[in-house]
DNA sequence: ACAAAAGTGTTGTTCCTACACCCATGA
DNA sequence: TCATGGGTGTAGGAACAACACTTTTGT
């Protein structure tokens, strides 16, 4: 059943950059293509936008297909539409990036993807289409935003130690941070809730914290500025 | 001559939010619609993306149609695709925002627009479609970015006085800024070139400056951070 | 001389940075 | 008691904020 229009239309797809933190490594979920074009190369999860589907909904749909996870943080990244970016025709792709907590959530292997894997950002293979460019933009956006908005907590488990939070920023920003000054800065913001202590560790147990979203939003109303 | 596809496709349009600074007022270029839907309401300039046209190129095309100006700063803002945002069907709009210098450039009245006008952001009429939402997002982006990237200069004439620069930030951010501290901060960045003086003003003539883009890019390479 | 806007000196406070040190736990 | 990572004290300097003051022009 064909669809006919008076003027030509491009196809519209959604691609999702899914970031996860594993120890000291930032990883991204990629899928090895089983068909041409770009057969065997790695690509971002994505697909066509359904008729009358919201774009963000499409992003959530792709995310859930690949990871089984719901309620994940996603944010629109950028829309790519350069002619020739897809050899099959004029394809416009709205890219979203997602931040997922690999510790708490079980990632199911996707049903329809032959080979989906978490790959380190520092050890990336060749990517299909313009997906390298898209991924680079996502990394740039993550680096830029993580300092001014409390995005980082999305990558951490519900309860985390100060050192984990610091490690996260060091990984994402690619810099070393002074422990003392980092704690002082975060503490002054008063956006963390104490959540008990670590147990069974071979050193002084760390106090665990969670991000206090209500308090953060309260502070935002009165001109507070998150900044690392 | 109809175009036929195997699966349904949304239409893709580009809308442009064109900001200009006039004295102490931030203005936006809007067009009064002459046809349904939303006849007589004001709307952002925009139109369909041509086959195999780059998105940013489409934005520049719309911008030039309405203002006659070339080489203007544009940046992709966000892509809007909520079902129902256009009563005529599934229309996905990629929004761009542009910053234009109203002092230097002659804005020609658009040929195809019945009524294009620069309207103050503080005195906006009802807008067509979801254009209010799009405009709000553009303002938010402008406010957020102007502090961390040297966007503001795009709104000023080539040569400007310190007080104009300060006025710009006061207008965009909606705050008062201390003259002394503002000067000190900007001067420390060393990103301005002296360009002579005002003449024929009934007070001490201000030194004129231009934004030194080369120097700025030089500084950026060595970890410099623009911040107001 | 006066109005008007340009431009400067200075001071108290807050924040940033760097470095050294102490603490609690399991092995 | 030792290794390991958690957590704190503090001091010097840079950046911020506030306010009063001087300078240069046209009328």
């Amino acid at each position: 059943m064909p669809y006919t229009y008076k003027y030509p239309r491009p196809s519209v797809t959604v691609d999702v950059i899914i970031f996860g933190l594993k120890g000291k490594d930032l990883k991204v979920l990629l899928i090895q293509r089983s068909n041409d074009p770009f057969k065997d190369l790695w690509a971002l999860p994505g697909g066509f936008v359904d008729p009358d589907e919201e774009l963000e909904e499409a992003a959530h749909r792709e995310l859930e297909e690949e990871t089984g996870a719901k309620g994940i943080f996603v944010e629109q990244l950028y829309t790519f539409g350069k002619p020739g970016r897809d050899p099959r025709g004029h394809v416009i792709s709205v890219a979203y990036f997602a931040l997922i907590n690999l510790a708490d959530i079980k990632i199911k292997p996707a049903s329809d993807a032959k080979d989906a894997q978490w790959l380190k950002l520092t050890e990336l293979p060749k990517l299909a289409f313009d997906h390298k460019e898209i991924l680079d933009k996502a990394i740039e956006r993550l680096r830029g935003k993580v300092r001014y908005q409390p995005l980082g907590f999305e990558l951490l488990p519900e309860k985390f130690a100060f050192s984990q939070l610091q490690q996260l920023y060091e990984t994402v920003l690619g810099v070393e941070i002074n422990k003392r000054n980092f704690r002082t800065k975060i503490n002054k913001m008063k956006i963390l809730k104490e959540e008990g202590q670590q147990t069974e560790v071979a050193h002084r147990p760390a106090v665990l914290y969670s991000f206090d979203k209500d308090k953060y939003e309260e502070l935002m109303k009165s001109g507070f500025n998150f900044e690392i």
Side-chain angles (χ1 to χ4, degrees), chain A residues 53-196:
Chain A
E53 182 183 38
E54 271 205 59
L55 293 167
E56 188 167 314
E57 193 182 312
H60 273 293
R61 180 167 52 74
E62 294 295 336
L63 185 52
E64 200 180 328
E65 277 174 19
E66 301 305 335
T67 66
K70 292 189 184 186
I72 298 304
F73 172 92
V74 305
E75 179 175 306
Q76 196 185 103
L77 171 66
Y78 198 79
T79 298
F80 297 82
K82 202 198 308 254
R85 58 177 293 279
D86 190 317
R88 294 165 296 186
H90 194 191
V91 179
I92 291 173
S93 170
V94 185
Y96 281 78
F97 76 94
L99 302 179
I100 203 167
N101 154 22
L102 289 180
D104 282 6
I105 289 174
K106 282 272 169 292
I107 307 298
K108 72 154 192 199
S111 47
D112 66 335
K114 290 287 177 302
D115 205 344
Q117 278 191 30
W118 290 97
L119 298 178
K120 277 196 211 181
L121 284 184
T122 49
E123 299 171 4
L124 285 181
K126 193 166 187 321
L127 301 189
F129 305 101
D130 54 355
H131 288 190
K132 174 75 165 68
E133 190 188 333
I134 298 179
L135 180 53
D136 284 345
K137 190 137 196 144
I139 296 167
E140 186 191 328
R141 174 76 66 82
L142 177 62
R143 289 221 173 103
K145 259 198 147 161
V146 79
R147 295 188 51 214
Y148 303 106
Q149 279 181 237
L151 298 187
F153 303 105
E154 307 289 340
L155 289 164
L156 292 179
E158 178 67 22
K159 302 178 183 184
F160 53 85
F162 242 114
S163 58
Q164 283 177 279
L165 186 60
Q166 176 172 350
Q167 181 61 60
L168 157 69
Y169 280 99
E170 292 185 338
T171 299
V172 171
L173 298 175
V175 294
E176 288 207 340
I177 302 175
N178 179 288
K179 181 175 58 158
R180 180 65 174 110
N181 302 337
F182 182 77
R183 293 179 86 98
T184 308
K185 195 170 203 168
I186 302 287
N187 275 329
K188 205 167 34 192
M189 294 194 215
K190 297 178 191 298
I191 52 173
L192 298 185
K193 258 202 305 251
E194 288 203 16
E195 300 277 5

